[in-house]
Amino acid sequence: MRHLRTNACSLLALISLLQTAHGLDVSGLGQLSYVDVNENDIWMRSWQQSGTGVTRYDDWNEDVSITQGALILRQDIWDALSLEATGLYYPDGEQRWGFTEAFLEYKPLSAGWRYQVRAGAFYPKFSRENVDIGWNSPYTYSYSAAQSWIAEEIRPQGIEISAKRPGSVFQSPWTWDLRLALFSGNDGAGSLLAWRGWALHDRQTRLGEKIQFAQYPSFMGSLSRQPSFVRPLIETDDRLGLIGGIHIDYAKRHELRTYYYNNFGNATIVENNGQYAWKTQFASLAWFSDFDGIHLLAQWLQGDTLMGKKVVDNDFYSGYLMISTALSTFDLPEHRISLRHDRFGVFDKDDYGMDINRSEGQSWTVAWRYNFAESHQVGFEWLHVHTHNENRRLWGWPEREQINQIQLNFQYFFQDLYIN
């Protein structure tokens, strides 16, 4: 399995080779941001700066800068077969540019049930939150805690099959979509939840990327081989994982999505650099409703993760409720205002007293986004996060901390640019 790890250079070469007469569809996004964060304590800096903070930005980032760039390439190979790849740029982290998704999609036309196959590296469709360009959210700039973790540590690399019963075809308001995936990779999933805890941000891990976090004093004894980083998307134990999901849609206005994820990790297998495979499983339940332009979204994610011979044994949960409304002004494109509340936590069940993993918190997010032209958007977001992470006391630091973060954003985006 570890020979199946995705190589970004080979993906680029493959895409260039598939320049057929059908042409190439290109979409993209660029984001310029000003960020202000009220927390200046060194231990509350972002985990990207080896701190114990739970936001992407800290006092090191209080400046105007390009915070994200996305490029999505879609190539039709045959009528029912296409190749799609998404590359993202960030100015922070281990690497500046890399791929987040790259998969072949087979979607034949049919008169009744509709079938689809995706093969490669892809996001499962756990919720309706991250449905914008580059797997971003059209509602807020910082994702919910649940989707932030999905962006960090969950990226199956395998094959997904779906079977959909469209209500319009069968003269019914009900549409059913059944999904099943077998995958490799994701053996590091659980590391960030155990030590850093949940976070809220807009950063997605690229394939093969290393994510830094704080060098905790607990990394001694049974954890002496553990580095202060994780490569969450790699394959370590040569075992396949499983994802199963059901989407139930009513009248294209209300949708329920339920999923089960299990990487079936062998928690005793360790890489040469000290990174373990983690046995991680969870269930996700997500809801979406459209009440004449007022959107209601909710998600609950709950599971457990194990590393070593119960060196780390944690339960975790995260849930949010969001309401969002579109406001039109004359004939101008719409404004969108969104309010979201998150709650999240990690429960420490192991007996290794030197390693403390218990954490909990909640957050409020308010966002305003305005498309003032066809391809231009400005927006504002206020994010308030309150966390209680017990492992901060290992340094003698306060366990409870609050962060207030303000973002002013400008986005330029384009879709379906056709290149022959």
Side-chain angles (χ1 to χ4, degrees), residues 46 54 84 91 105 111 163 177 181 191 193 198 214 221 239-240 242 277 313 339 360 375 378 386 389-390 419:
S46 170
V54 297
E84 183 170 322
E105 182 178 65
D177 190 350
S191 304
L193 290 186
W198 296 91
R239 288 187 175 183
L240 290 177
L242 173 72
D313 184 8
L339 171 66
E360 59 183 344
S375 299
V378 292
H386 181 273
N389 290 25
E390 293 187 1
I419 300 176

Side-chain angles (χ1 to χ4, degrees), residues 184-353:
S184 64
N186 283 202
D187 281 341
S191 304
L192 291 172
L193 290 186
W195 289 306
R196 181 209 58 198
W198 296 91
L200 294 98
H201 57 84
D202 64 346
R203 196 180 190 284
Q204 305 172 41
T205 301
R206 277 71 59 88
L207 298 172
E209 188 178 11
K210 177 171 68 177
I211 306 300
Q212 299 279 359
F213 50 83
Q215 179 66 45
Y216 291 94
S218 57
F219 291 171
M220 58 183 68
S222 298
L223 287 173
S224 60
R225 297 183 63 188
Q226 173 64 45
S228 58
F229 66 82
V230 60
R231 294 191 185 274
L233 307 183
I234 67 171
E235 180 60 41
T236 297
D237 60 6
D238 294 336
R239 288 187 175 183
L240 290 177
L242 173 72
I243 303 173
I246 301 175
H247 301 186
I248 305 172
D249 181 280
Y250 179 76
K252 297 184 178 180
R253 296 173 66 89
H254 309 282
E255 185 180 32
L256 177 69
R257 297 185 181 185
T258 178
Y259 275 86
Y260 173 72
Y261 169 102
N262 194 329
N263 69 359
F264 292 105
N266 184 343
T268 62
I269 300 298
V270 61
E271 298 270 344
N272 291 332
N273 62 12
Q275 177 178 307
Y276 279 81
W278 292 62
K279 177 175 171 48
T280 299
Q281 63 178 339
F282 63 85
S284 172
L285 187 67
W287 178 263
F288 170 85
S289 284
D290 181 356
F291 299 100
D292 295 325
I294 299 176
H295 292 178
L296 179 66
L297 293 89
Q299 185 176 8
W300 181 262
L301 188 151
Q302 183 170 332
D304 57 72
T305 186
L306 177 71
M307 186 271 273
K309 296 180 179 180
K310 293 200 72 172
V311 175
V312 177
D313 184 8
N314 294 333
D315 288 343
F316 56 83
Y317 71 90
S318 178
Y320 76 85
L321 178 64
M322 176 163 61
I323 185 170
S324 179
T325 183
L327 304 174
S328 297
T329 55
F330 303 104
D331 294 326
L332 297 177
E334 64 186 23
H335 301 258
R336 178 164 290 279
I337 300 174
S338 304
L339 171 66
R340 188 186 66 228
H341 180 57
D342 287 73
R343 286 185 176 270
F344 42 85
V346 177
F347 298 107
D348 192 346
K349 301 188 300 180
D350 58 70
D351 299 324
Y352 189 46

